[in-house]
Amino acid sequence: LERALPPTDVNLQTARTNLALILKSDGDVAAARGLEERALAALRSMFPEDHPEIEAAKSGLAVTLSRQGEFDAARTMFEQLLASREATLPARHHDVEIVRGELALLFALDGDLDTAAALEKQVLESLESTLPDSHGDVITARLNLAETLREQRDFAGAAAVAERALAVLDGVEWE
């Protein structure tokens, strides 16, 4: 594919990031990172920094960096993405909250559970106000918050949040 397409072809960069996802799933995070860095560099030569293609590439690379334990670099990328989305999208927009949720997971991985929980509560509140309870992202946000609360040893809070998620999954209504 690299021989068939010019280096600035967006489809080539998509192929690189897709292959990086496969490599990450297979545990080859270092190879995935190389592909993601190449794709991001090429995309930066084609689009402005706030272009959706660049933001998607940065998000994937930030996840890779976090998997390699490079939390500061990953946090910087996620914070840049969050600032960009907050500046260009309406308040409580789904895409803003997805990035905020990724940032929360990063804080949790890095051991800052208080910041993670605060961000996860914000994500959940926002998603609950804009999406149905049965939406997968709302359920995921609840389960992420429940896990962080569990790690903080707030077992009652974790159970309450997890039970609500499970009630939706089971199709049970609650008061």
Side-chain angles (χ1 to χ4, degrees):
L1 194 58
E2 288 183 348
R3 286 181 260 181
L5 296 173
T8 56
D9 187 282
V10 74
N11 294 315
L12 175 58
Q13 308 326 313
T14 300
R16 283 182 176 146
T17 57
N18 287 345
L19 178 56
L21 285 171
I22 294 167
L23 292 171
K24 275 191 274 194
S25 296
D26 196 35
D28 194 351
V29 181
R33 179 177 177 171
L35 287 169
E36 288 170 330
E37 288 173 339
R38 286 177 65 195
L40 182 57
L43 290 167
R44 281 183 165 145
S45 73
M46 299 184 307
F47 301 114
E49 192 67 21
D50 62 349
H51 190 278
E53 291 286 340
I54 289 179
E55 290 194 344
K58 285 170 72 173
S59 180
L61 180 56
V63 169
T64 300
L65 292 169
S66 70
R67 289 194 55 192
Q68 291 184 311
E70 295 187 37
F71 297 119
D72 289 339
R75 182 172 27 258
T76 298
M77 280 194 151
F78 277 128
E79 287 171 345
Q80 290 170 351
L81 284 167
L82 183 59
S84 173
R85 294 207 177 151
E86 286 178 328
T88 58
L89 296 172
R92 298 182 178 263
H93 191 282
H94 178 257
D95 290 346
V96 172
E97 300 311 322
I98 295 303
V99 174
R100 193 182 323 278
E102 292 286 346
L103 185 58
L105 290 173
L106 181 63
F107 277 107
L109 287 172
D110 200 24
D112 187 349
L113 298 176
D114 291 339
T115 301
L119 289 170
E120 288 168 346
K121 287 175 184 175
Q122 187 177 355
V123 169
L124 181 57
E125 178 184 300
S126 179
L127 292 177
E128 285 177 330
S129 73
T130 59
L131 297 171
D133 278 344
S134 59
H135 192 282
D137 289 335
V138 174
I139 293 168
T140 297
R142 283 190 184 115
L143 295 174
N144 287 343
L145 176 57
E147 176 59 19
T148 300
L149 293 172
R150 185 196 63 77
E151 288 180 23
Q152 290 180 309
R153 305 189 64 73
D154 177 359
F155 301 121
V161 174
E163 286 171 358
R164 187 160 180 203
L166 291 174
V168 171
L169 290 170
D170 288 338
V172 176
E173 292 187 15
W174 62 89
E175 293 182 46

